[in-house]
Amino acid sequence: MPVKRFDKTPMPTQVAGMRAHNFLEVNEGYTEDHARFEAERCLRCQDPICVTGCPVGVPIPQFIHAVALGDMQGASRLLRSANPLASVCGRVCAQENQCEARCSLAGRFNPVAIGHLERFVADWERTQTQEAKPQITRTEKVAIIGSGPAGLVCAGELARLGYSVTIYEALHAPGGVLRYGIPEFRLPKDILDWEISLLTDLGVKIECNVIIGRTLSLDQLTTKMGYSAVFIGTGAGLPQFLGIPGENLVGVYSANEYLTRVNLMRGYSADADTPVAHGESVAIVGAGNTAMDAVRTAMRMGASKAMVIYRRSETEMSAREEEYHHAKEEGVEFHWLTNPLEIIDDGNGRVSGLRCQRMVLGEPDKSGRARPVAIPDSEFVIPVDNVVLAIGTTPNPMLTRTTAGLSTTPSGCIVADERTGSTSRSLVFAGGDAVSGAATVILAAGAGKRAASAIHETLNPG
Amino acid sequence: MSRIVETRQLTPVTKMFVLDNRLIAESAQAGQFVMLRVHKDGERIPVTIADYDREAGTITIVVQAVGATTRRVDALDVGDEILDVAGPLGSPIEIPDGGAHVVGVGGGFGAAALLCLMREIHAKGNTATAIVGARNQDLLIMTNELLGVADNVEICTDDGSAGMKGFVTQRLAQLIEGQGPGRPDRVIAIGPMAMMRAIAATTKESGIKTMVSMDPLMVDGTGMCGGCRVIVDGKSQFACIDGPVFDAQLVDFDLAMRRNKAYAEQEKAAAERLACATAEAV
């Protein structure tokens, strides 16, 4: 543990060699001693700019000060007042690009471990008996479509304001990407279940197996069913494919499919019926957080060789540093500047290899990142049993295709006001990945929160 | 949860279930499917909606007990609950607005899915003809029900024990030549992949618009996994949201058949495990 005050107190983790073969959580969490020591590092700036890096505006210095004083009750109340998904965000948020990036200590030293402290406080709260909860006090009903981070946060905020809230979820279990996408070793489903139970304790109703746009239409919600307002948080769950030969061979997955089979359908458990491939050698294409989740999952599903294939370099990858670091420790191989050209057929319609070419970085492209350029005559084959494509997702079109008057962009994103989430249809709001395209949990949470305020202001002005 | 309100054993391995699910009954249309899950560790499987009754608030499905999950469904009876039923999913079949002769071809337990299709075709002012086939008379299903909703029901058996001796494709070819109820303006086939491919070949020369209902493996059924991708006209389509009904002449059946066998070994092992567990329990 730390001796120098300018170092971040390290997060205790499961040993890499062990955790690479189990689905238990990698990060084990601070003890109270760790937390109070780390909290003491906060300078309690007069004008705390860390807060400006937080999409939900957590009162960071205040909650950290409470931790330093050992007032966990106070800390949790402060944290919970701003972030209804604290135990989730404390685990999966990219704090290093947000609050921690703006910490006054960040320039010369290491920033305060705001994320680890958030997680500590939320986990402490989980061990406590819950306080009496506010009741439904208003007559207006609000429908939330989708139970991912945007929907859960919007529901929580509205429930706290006294609205009667019902969440409609298409799958058999709530949580959206937190359930089907993020693996158990990064976000245990017990934690998610607990966060959701806090909402149902507030009176939020969750209707699973209901697909708005199919089972019920958006119009039915606003007319026959009497909802005063609707929030759409349907996420960006439609997987993209590369369009290279061999993509439909048996053994090629989208990251969504692979992770859903393992996470939502619990493919890691011997009791689960849903089959999933257990490749010896697995290549993941892409280098974002989803790619890290997929490659580390492949490792845990028994792969002796789990690889990330990325056409740019380490500098351009979008995965969080922590995920990358953990993946490396666990033995994941990284093939940078490697562009997949074709997935090779074993002769029976199954994957046997991935034909790639070497790349070199050129001038920046429109994303601002260096454009990878192929090196002539550099093709080679990596033998693999499975290929998982983690190259991005776009918004799910089920609702927008079946709903009249809901404006979308050419890429399928719902057009919504940045500040309020209001859409082209009156009393219909939207936020999260369905609006922004694939982004982060906390940005979705922020959008859900802003939409909840806007819904409240619209329904009960003044 | 959906309660089973009626069951009927159609053949030794095929069973019909009527489920109490008002929401799905009110929005279902021909061509759509539901995702089922029967226990907490269970997989999600797509099952075609054979029929719906908006007044009674029920949907009808037919399940063939071939794998672990379908065998678990098969073991359920009236009064039992199905843990998860989500739907209706997929796009409804596009039906001409009247005056057309639409032929539905049902092979095996796919014949059941013709029920609501025939009713919708007829209700829109078209002539609805069902061609159903099976190996023999005992394996034919839903013929009486189809007689109640279709204008014509054409029966084929491989051994000639009922209706015409021959395959559904042969009867369809005769209709295209003008025999029986006459040349179809449109053909919709629901059944085993091999049958649908044969139907596509049968209508190919005639230029009659022919649709097939694909049943690839699916995980979620809502556009999320992409596991159900089917190549149609060289482009990747998701059966769950872009289909499941596609233009028969444009579907890559070879690929679809290969992809459906992706987990054949695991499925066989799971079915054997379930059989052992059931035997022990008895």
Side-chain angles (χ1 to χ4, degrees), chain B residues 83-108:
Chain B
L83 180 61
D84 295 297
V85 182
L89 289 157
S91 305
I93 295 180
E94 190 208 320
I95 293 168
D97 288 325
H101 180 208
V102 185
V103 173
V105 186

Side-chain angles (χ1 to χ4, degrees), chain A residues 82-412:
Chain A
N83 191 352
L85 280 180
S87 69
V88 172
C89 294
R91 288 173 164 80
V92 306
C93 241
Q95 292 95 6
E96 64 277 14
N97 302 329
Q98 304 181 99
C99 52
E100 292 181 18
R102 305 192 189 192
C103 175
S104 302
L105 287 175
R108 290 182 58 194
F109 311 106
N110 284 312
V112 174
I114 302 169
H116 296 344
L117 289 170
E118 177 180 34
R119 172 190 160 143
F120 170 79
V121 173
D123 285 355
W124 176 87
E125 188 190 359
R126 198 156 83 91
T127 64
Q128 305 299 304
T129 326
Q130 296 307 308
E131 297 167 40
K133 296 297 182 188
Q135 295 297 310
I136 297 166
T137 54
R138 297 177 190 273
T139 51
E140 298 99 332
K141 300 196 297 174
V142 181
I144 311 277
I145 309 174
S147 63
L152 291 177
V153 168
C154 189
E157 294 292 300
L158 289 166
R160 266 178 272 277
L161 290 164
Y163 290 95
S164 165
V165 180
T166 302
I167 304 180
Y168 291 100
E169 166 57 46
L171 295 175
H172 60 263
V177 71
L178 305 175
R179 174 87 51 189
Y180 72 74
I182 302 181
E184 186 74 14
F185 56 83
R186 219 151 62 78
L187 175 63
K189 298 304 162 274
D190 287 354
I191 302 283
L192 176 61
D193 289 339
W194 173 71
E195 286 284 6
I196 292 169
S197 76
L198 295 183
L199 296 181
T200 50
D201 286 352
L202 282 171
V204 172
K205 288 193 283 291
I206 303 180
E207 300 281 354
C208 288
N209 295 321
V210 178
I211 305 104
I212 305 300
R214 286 286 177 217
T215 319
L216 290 167
S217 66
L218 185 71
D219 293 315
Q220 277 175 297
L221 294 180
T222 54
T223 56
K224 197 170 101 183
M225 300 185 69
Y227 287 103
S228 307
V230 176
F231 174 77
I232 304 170
T234 46
L238 196 74
Q240 292 183 303
F241 288 84
L242 282 165
I244 62 173
E247 207 160 46
N248 298 308
L249 292 171
V250 172
V252 181
Y253 290 107
S254 71
N256 263 9
E257 178 177 1
Y258 185 61
L259 291 170
T260 299
R261 284 180 185 271
V262 178
N263 300 333
L264 173 72
M265 306 312 295
R266 303 178 50 249
Y268 56 84
S269 155
D271 298 331
D273 287 346
T274 303
V276 59
H278 294 259
E280 270 291 305
S281 175
V282 181
I284 280 73
V285 178
N289 287 318
T290 307
M292 297 305 134
D293 284 345
V295 76
R296 296 171 72 199
T297 296
M299 197 105 219
R300 285 159 173 77
M301 295 297 285
S304 54
K305 213 171 158 66
M307 296 165 273
V308 163
I309 312 290
Y310 186 48
R311 64 198 179 116
R312 301 181 204 248
S313 77
E314 193 175 354
T315 325
E316 288 81 28
M317 75 164 176
S318 61
R320 286 187 67 191
E321 205 181 301
E322 182 181 69
E323 306 314 323
Y324 174 47
H325 172 72
H326 281 163
K328 271 203 301 196
E329 279 185 346
E330 288 164 14
V332 169
E333 283 178 25
F334 288 84
H335 296 254
W336 307 116
L337 293 165
T338 303
N339 188 37
L341 296 175
E342 182 191 358
I343 303 166
I344 298 168
D345 191 331
D346 70 348
N348 293 308
R350 290 177 182 266
V351 175
S352 69
L354 186 63
R355 193 161 59 84
C356 301
Q357 69 187 157
R358 305 248 182 243
M359 310 296 279
V360 65
L361 291 179
E363 293 299 306
D365 62 13
K366 33 175 216 253
S367 76
R369 297 180 297 181
R371 184 195 300 277
V373 181
I375 300 175
D377 305 320
S378 65
E379 291 181 18
F380 64 104
V381 172
I382 307 174
V384 290
D385 306 312
N386 293 115
V387 176
V388 179
L389 304 172
I391 54 165
T393 55
T394 56
N396 190 310
M398 263 199 308
L399 179 67
T400 49
R401 275 187 197 172
T402 53
T403 305
L406 194 60
S407 297
T408 54
T409 68
S411 52

